[in-house]
Amino acid sequence: LLKVLSRIASILQSPRAPPLIFRPSKGPVQNYLKENGQGCGFEHLPPTIEMWADQLMALKDLHRSLRKLSLELLPWSTTDPQDKRESIRVEDLQLIVDAILEELENKEKNSQTLSLQTLSAIVSHFQKLFDVNSLNGVYPRMNEVYIKLGEMTNAMRNLHELLELDSSAPPTVVVDTVGKLCDIINKNMTEQVQQLLGTQDIHSIINKLEEHECFFPPFQALIQDLLCLLEISNVDDILPAVQNLK
């Protein structure tokens, strides 16, 4: 027992020992140690040793968790033979953490490089799509595209409302609806012309228009001559002026 206590005392009194691990005590143990030339107490040592044991077990659990994390982030790394060891050191955990941090730093650097490459590719693609010859012209063309897009969006929204279409209707549906309205309008105009000219045959309509084209130029010339001869400017004054000449 004396050898064990002496060994413990030498460990506790070493510079590496925790400062609060050694406390003088009173009682039978202290008297026993004094009689045998020892001047330190160990009655608080069992709880401390139990705490250390718990920490060592927790250290193993922490090591196991870090190894799982390392396998997720570094799947190409080989299994650490230290996993099979009974004792786990803090240095082992530090090595795993350093490897993970180094990998994360490398990934961050690579992601920044990829982002710059992607940005350059996007700018080049924009220049090709919108025929921009220089980088200085990218921002003005972006503004122009944004303004045109806003105008088109407002126009489509207004057409959806006017045509009573659902807001989710694609542009093709809007175009088809406008085309149908144009067909209806053209059909109504044709019917009105037919009613005005008194015929339902397109050839008869053409003949009527040709007759009017032959009639109106001479008639217009006659009216102009009468206006000049009677020295008047209004067509409605022709008949009163002719009556006054009788």
Side-chain angles (χ1 to χ4, degrees), residues 102-142:
E102 183 179 0
E103 179 63 20
L104 292 177
E105 290 176 357
N106 293 333
K107 284 186 177 180
E108 184 178 358
K109 292 179 181 179
N110 293 334
S111 64
Q112 291 177 354
T113 304
L114 290 176
S115 297
L116 293 176
Q117 293 176 353
T118 303
L119 181 59
S120 177
I122 291 174
V123 173
S124 299
H125 188 60
F126 181 88
Q127 290 181 270
K128 291 179 181 179
L129 287 178
F130 298 99
D131 194 20
V132 182
N133 297 325
S134 64
L135 292 176
N136 294 331
V138 170
Y139 282 110
R141 186 58 58 87
M142 282 185 175

